[in-house]
């Protein structure tokens, strides 16, 4: 009994600066990882928030030098699962099997995805000014996409078509930039 | 051919619909089928969602020629002479979304605050720290990697850092030389005070006190009583049926210890502490200038990281800046009215356990505190002001409130006050006999934070220990938990002093203190009287002897959360954390009464009275609880293929966390049977609805035993 008590792990008071650095550096990656499973950015943000609390409260369990992304994505998986359980009564968009397949691929190719994200900034600059303005409006703070058409006074369908065209153009542009490094 | 101009493929069309939130169920099924069928489609899905998410996260800045890079906000923790990290420059930057995305940017800011402060904690105290928006991002900067010395405790002076885009000068915070007072040599390793020693000290003090008073303590609480108490005290809600069954069936001897550890690790524990301290620090009522969400995020992240209590207090006292971004500022923003008299009174009462509000106008005849001391403390807040900032909405062109900023002005000099005899007197900033330079260059709140929280602070520690003791036992060591002056003798002065000292030694470790309390012998006791402790009754004006557990009424928040847990009503409609917090807040507002006093006093009329009972019984909450539609808790229990006894047992476990006693079971069965024969047979669930309704409205439900 005496031993059991004294062996209790002491909670450390503060995370190391290395941890802090890894944590901040992985925020966007983690968000995108979660988003690939829930597909709704607002939900993904909320799950990220819960995930952060868990990460932060378990910092002492992270072993320096091990794979941080692998560690946090496990925590995120768990939070996604909890979120799905809470949502059970609403309709879930995707099946468990689907989510797992996506999560796995996302982790396997996470560096590739990260490199693509860097290319995106340049590709946005290559858009026609009109297209760039539209995509900026679409993702402006507070915009959910639904009211966009009304705001700019264009038919809803034509706005959706334009957005789709711009996204495809961006993907194509990213693909071209990636091509030299990752021949497919 | 420009690929963007071609017709989209079926997969692309579906992905577009997904991004724009217009995917129908058949669409979703088809998309899933396509994506699972080939690696190529899976990759397409991932890159599409990744593009969508990156655009969302980085928020292409409207109207900016360089949409992404111009919105980047880099935060450095500049180096001193520690080991440089070998990463390339880009790894030290992270992109934050534009403000306006309140939830994310506020969270990020909170995190940063915690991050930066947490980083501070492990630094040697005498090194300057600069947090600085970089002028030249390419300049090599490094972030130190450094192992935290184990068991070290916070010795740096309090600093609050914000990441607003103020001029670099404002962000430059220099750590002053360590306090010149000789600090008592601190015990570097915690090994010398094992958890067990402290618990043994508590037990020993209690036992000798019981012997002296001739009390025989109550029996140990049975598992059900203890488990329900622990859940309510630590995570703020009753256990679920599954949790209760698991604990009751567990035959191991150390299962209580394990449950304590498990719950201390639960995110609900963080939420529960956050709720408690939000109510203590900014109250339950809403104030348009206060960003409650941001404040809770600050507390939540602080408690989640188990930051030292003195560091949290230092941040609250010395916070500056935008209240959406730096949540800690909201504490003072809530209390700056009336010449900061509420700030003075609350700081003294909540952090230091001294009620000074009466001293605003007169000396206290029962206490040595004097009117002058009140105004000396008050003068620390005289440079501080809050400013409501407005922003023009680019769409509508209307100017609207955006956030509140907590600002320290360049002002100095004394504070004037009037004595009862009508004399005008002056007070200079002074705390605990230590004077602070009253000139305008000195940031007084930063000084106050240093004087209040740096190093060994027995009063700060004792106030916290007493507050947490009261949280678990329903009674503090003093009659009024936050009035610990000399006129209020403590029931166990030595134990209070010991615990406060150990709390300081542990580095103001909040979890550790709670662990000691939960493992202590008095916390294991039943709330039933023994044959020889009827005299131990604080409600009769006796000093508490803690020879039994005092029964506590649930707080309004505990009631609400327990209700949701017992009935699984929260599953009816998925909720995220912030939304759940708001719903609860909204429900609570019906009970909150504001008094328009100088101390921003408020009261909660939630006391288990008839009025409360009625609002519970007839509110929408109970309607949801008694819902028997598929998926609801009650519906599942009723439709289960199980015996009547099992159904009744499940309802008792859900509401009371214990199985029914044989006599109770018999009468409940009678009731269920009787109802089933009387009423129409179409609704056999009606009897269970009645039973569950009765259990949820019982006294036992709203009590913490």
């Amino acid at each position: 009994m005496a031993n059991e008590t004294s062996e209790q792990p002491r909670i450390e008071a503060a995370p190391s600066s290395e941890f802090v650095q890894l944590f901040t550096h992985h925020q966007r990656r983690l968000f995108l990882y979660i988003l690939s499973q829930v597909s709704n950015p607002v939900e993904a943000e909320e799950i990220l928030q819960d995930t952060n609390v868990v990460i932060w409260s378990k910092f002492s369990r992270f072993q320096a030098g091990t794979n941080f992304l692998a560690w946090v994505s496990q925590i995120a998986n768990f939070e996604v699962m909890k979120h799905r359980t809470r949502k059970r009564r609403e309709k879930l968009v995707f099946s468990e099997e689907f989510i797992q397949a996506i999560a796995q691929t996302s982790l396997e190719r996470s560096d590739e995805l990260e490199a693509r994200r860097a290319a995106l900034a340049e590709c946005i600059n290559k858009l026609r000014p009109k297209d760039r303005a539209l995509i900026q409006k679409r993702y402006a703070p507070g915009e959910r996409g639904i009211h966009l058409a009304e705001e700019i006074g264009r038919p809803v369908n034509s706005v959706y078509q334009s957005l789709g065209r711009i996204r495809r153009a961006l993907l194509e542009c990213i693909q071209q930039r990636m091509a030299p490094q990752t021949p497919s | 051919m420009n690929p963007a101009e071609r017709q989209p493929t079926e997969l692309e069309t579906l992905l577009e619909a997904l991004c724009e939130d217009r995917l129908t169920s058949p669409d979703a099924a088809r998309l899933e089928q396509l994506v699972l069928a080939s690696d190529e489609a899976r990759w397409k899905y991932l890159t599409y969602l990744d593009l969508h998410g990156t655009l969302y996260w980085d928020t292409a800045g409207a109207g900016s020629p360089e949409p992404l890079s111009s919105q980047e906000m880099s935060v450095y923790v500049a180096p001193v002479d520690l080991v440089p990290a070998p990463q390339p420059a880009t790894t030290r930057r992270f992109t934050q979304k534009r403000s306006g995305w309140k939830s994310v940017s506020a969270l990020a800011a909170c995190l940063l605050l915690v991050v930066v402060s947490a980083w501070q904690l492990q630094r040697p105290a005498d090194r300057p720290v600069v947090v600085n928006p970089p002028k030249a991002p390419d300049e090599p900067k490094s972030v130190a990697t450094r192992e935290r010395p184990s068991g070290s405790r916070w010795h740096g002076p309090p600093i609050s850092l914000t990441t607003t885009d103020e001029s670099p000068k404002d962000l430059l915070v220099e750590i002053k030389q360590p306090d010149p007072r000789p600090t008592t040599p601190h015990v570097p390793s915690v090994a010398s005070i094992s958890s067990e020693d402290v618990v043994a000290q508590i037990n020993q003090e209690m036992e000798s006190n019981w012997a002296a008073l001739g009390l025989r303590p109550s029996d140990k609480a049975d598992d059900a009583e203890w488990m329900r108490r622990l859940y309510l005290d630590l995570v703020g809600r009753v256990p679920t049926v599954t949790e209760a069954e698991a604990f009751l069936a567990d035959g191991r001897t150390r299962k209580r210890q394990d449950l304590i550890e498990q719950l201390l690790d639960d995110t609900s524990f963080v939420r529960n502490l956050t709720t408690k301290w939000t109510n203590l620090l900014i109250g339950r009522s809403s104030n348009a200038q206060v960003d409650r969400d941001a404040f809770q995020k600050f507390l939540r992240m602080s408690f989640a990281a188990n930051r030292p209590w003195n560091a949290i207090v230092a941040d609250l006292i010395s916070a500056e800046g935008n209240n959406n971004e730096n949540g800690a500022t909201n504490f003072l923003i809530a209390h700056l009215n009336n010449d900061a008299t509420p700030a003075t009174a609350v700081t003294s009462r909540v952090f230091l356990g001294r009620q000074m509000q009466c001293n605003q106008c007169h000396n206290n005849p029962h206490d040595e505190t004097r009117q002058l001391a009140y105004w000396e403390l008050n003068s620390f807040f005289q440079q501080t002001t809050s400013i409501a900032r407005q922003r023009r909405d680019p769409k509508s062109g209307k100017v609207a409130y955006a956030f509140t900023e907590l600002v320290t002005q360049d002002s100095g000099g004394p504070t004037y006050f009037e004595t009862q005899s009508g004399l005008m007197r002056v007070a200079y900033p002074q705390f605990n006999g230590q004077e602070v330079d009253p000139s305008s260059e000195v940031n007084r709140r930063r000084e106050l934070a240093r004087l209040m929280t740096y190093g060994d602070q027995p009063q700060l520690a004792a106030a916290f220990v007493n507050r947490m003791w009261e949280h678990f036992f329903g009674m503090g060591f003093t009659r009024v938990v936050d009035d610990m002056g000399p006129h209020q003798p403590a029931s166990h002065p030595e134990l209070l002093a010991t615990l406060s000292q150990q709390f300081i030694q542990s580095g103001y470790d909040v979890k550790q203190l709670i662990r000691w309390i939960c493992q202590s012998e008095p916390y294991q006791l039943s709330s039933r009287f023994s044959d020889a402790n009827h005299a131990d009754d604080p409600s009769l004006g006796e000093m508490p002897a803690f020879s039994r557990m005092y029964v506590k009424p649930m707080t309004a928040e505990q009631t609400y959360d327990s209700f949701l847990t017992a009935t699984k009503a929260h599953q009816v409609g998925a909720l995220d954390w912030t939304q759940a917090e708001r719903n609860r807040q909204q429900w609570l507002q019906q009970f909150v009464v504001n008094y328009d006093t100088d101390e921003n006093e408020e009261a909660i009329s939630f006391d288990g009275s008839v009025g409360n009972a009625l609002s519970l019984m007839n509110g929408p909450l109970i309607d949801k609880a008694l819902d028997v539609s598929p998926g609801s808790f009650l519906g599942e229990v009723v439709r289960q293929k199980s015996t009547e006894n099992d159904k009744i047992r499940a309802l008792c476990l859900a509401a009371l966390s214990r199985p029914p006693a044989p006599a109770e079971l018999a009468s409940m069965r009678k009731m269920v049977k009787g109802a089933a024969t009387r009423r129409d047979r179409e609704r056999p669930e009606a009897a269970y609805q009645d039973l569950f309704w009765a259990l949820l409205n019982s006294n036992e439900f709203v009590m913490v035993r």
Side-chain angles (χ1 to χ4, degrees), chain A residues 17 28 45 61 95 117 167, chain B residues 20 32 56 104 119 144:
Chain A
S17 59
R28 186 173 73 169
E45 268 186 50
R61 310 219 177 134
S95 71
R117 290 161 201 158
R167 285 199 196 97
Chain B
E20 293 300 334
E32 191 164 324
Y56 176 87
V104 164
W119 193 74

Side-chain angles (χ1 to χ4, degrees), chain B residues 92-114:
Chain B
R92 268 165 254 125
R93 315 172 60 181
F94 69 94
T95 310
Q96 244 196 340
K97 294 177 50 181
R98 288 198 311 173
S99 59
W101 283 107
K102 205 171 107 193
S103 61
V104 164
S105 60
L107 170 70
C110 276
L111 280 176
L112 261 176
L113 189 77
V114 175

Side-chain angles (χ1 to χ4, degrees), chain A residues 76-111:
Chain A
N77 287 344
F78 189 67
E79 291 301 319
V80 168
M81 209 178 77
K82 266 170 52 182
H83 181 79
R84 286 170 64 88
T85 318
R86 278 203 299 267
K87 262 192 79 164
R88 200 174 47 188
R89 288 175 56 89
E90 285 177 30
K91 248 188 312 251
L92 288 170
V93 182
F94 296 120
S95 71
E96 196 74 31
E97 182 198 2
F98 178 85
I99 302 277
Q100 277 171 10
I102 290 299
Q104 195 191 342
T105 314
S106 172
L107 274 185
E108 282 166 6
R109 304 181 70 167
S110 85
D111 287 342

Side-chain angles (χ1 to χ4, degrees), chain B residues 171-231:
Chain B
L171 288 165
L172 192 136
V173 181
E174 287 215 1
I175 296 191
K176 306 235 167 43
Q177 284 303 308
D179 191 331
R181 281 178 308 151
T183 42
T184 46
H186 98 261
V187 185
S189 102
V190 191
S192 61
I193 39 156
S194 77
S195 204
E196 208 189 34
D197 289 345
V198 181
V199 174
Q201 273 173 316
I202 299 176
N203 297 348
Q204 207 182 330
E205 289 262 1
M206 285 294 163
E207 281 160 18
S208 59
N209 189 244
W210 294 332
L213 293 171
L215 297 169
R216 203 171 67 77
S218 298
D219 292 337
K220 203 172 155 185
D222 66 28
D223 281 345
E225 181 184 355
W226 186 84
M227 162 189 67
R228 190 175 198 263
R229 171 194 307 164
L230 190 75
Y231 268 90

Side-chain angles (χ1 to χ4, degrees), chain B residues 269-290:
Chain B
F269 164 73
V270 171
R271 181 172 185 241
N272 190 33
L273 266 192
T274 300
T275 302
K276 181 176 184 80
W277 285 96
T278 304
N279 289 342
L280 285 170
L281 293 169
I282 63 171
R284 283 177 167 105
S285 29
S286 52
N287 171 339
Q289 301 249 315
V290 172

Side-chain angles (χ1 to χ4, degrees), chain B residues 567-693:
Chain B
T567 63
K568 295 195 184 161
H570 58 300
Q571 289 189 352
V572 185
L575 291 172
D576 61 66
W577 207 342
T578 315
Q579 191 56 45
E581 207 66 51
R582 289 203 188 121
N583 286 359
R584 186 172 75 176
Q585 198 55 28
Q586 206 182 359
W587 179 81
L588 285 175
Q589 285 311 306
Q590 60 185 316
F591 304 115
V592 178
V593 185
N594 280 307
Y595 299 122
D596 202 9
T597 64
D598 276 357
E599 284 79 43
N600 298 353
E601 276 178 288
E602 62 179 23
I604 183 139
S605 63
F606 191 88
D607 51 7
S609 66
V610 177
N612 300 149
L614 280 173
S615 70
L616 264 185
M617 285 187 283
N618 301 317
L621 215 50
I622 196 97
D623 286 347
K624 263 189 187 171
L626 300 180
D627 181 12
V628 286
S629 58
S632 65
F633 170 70
L634 193 57
E636 276 171 22
V637 170
V638 171
R639 277 185 289 275
Q640 247 168 26
K641 282 202 168 44
S642 59
T643 64
E644 228 163 49
N645 284 3
D646 285 345
K647 289 183 170 58
I648 292 173
R649 182 185 152 88
L651 296 186
C652 281
L653 276 173
L656 309 177
S657 321
R658 64 173 177 85
E664 289 172 329
L665 182 61
S667 62
M668 287 176 194
R669 283 191 58 162
K670 209 166 134 194
M671 183 204 135
V672 169
K673 276 214 157 69
T677 49
R678 271 201 316 278
R679 296 206 192 153
D680 60 351
R681 283 155 201 274
E682 300 288 297
R683 290 187 70 249
E685 71 271 18
Y688 291 104
Q689 281 179 318
D690 287 351
L691 174 61
F692 201 35
W693 183 91

Side-chain angles (χ1 to χ4, degrees), chain B residues 362-410:
Chain B
H362 58 84
N363 291 338
N364 189 335
H366 307 296
D367 189 343
E368 68 211 10
T369 49
R370 295 278 179 266
Q371 196 182 4
L372 179 61
Y374 176 91
W375 290 100
E376 283 168 350
L377 180 60
N378 176 273
S379 77
F380 279 98
F381 298 106
Q382 288 306 324
Q383 292 169 321
T384 310
T385 186
S386 64
I387 304 168
R389 299 284 185 199
Q390 298 183 321
R391 195 179 284 143
R392 185 179 294 278
D393 184 341
K395 288 176 193 157
S396 65
K398 282 185 188 145
V399 174
Y401 166 79
F403 62 90
T404 310
E405 192 177 353
L406 191 65
V407 197
T408 299
Q409 295 163 317
D410 278 351

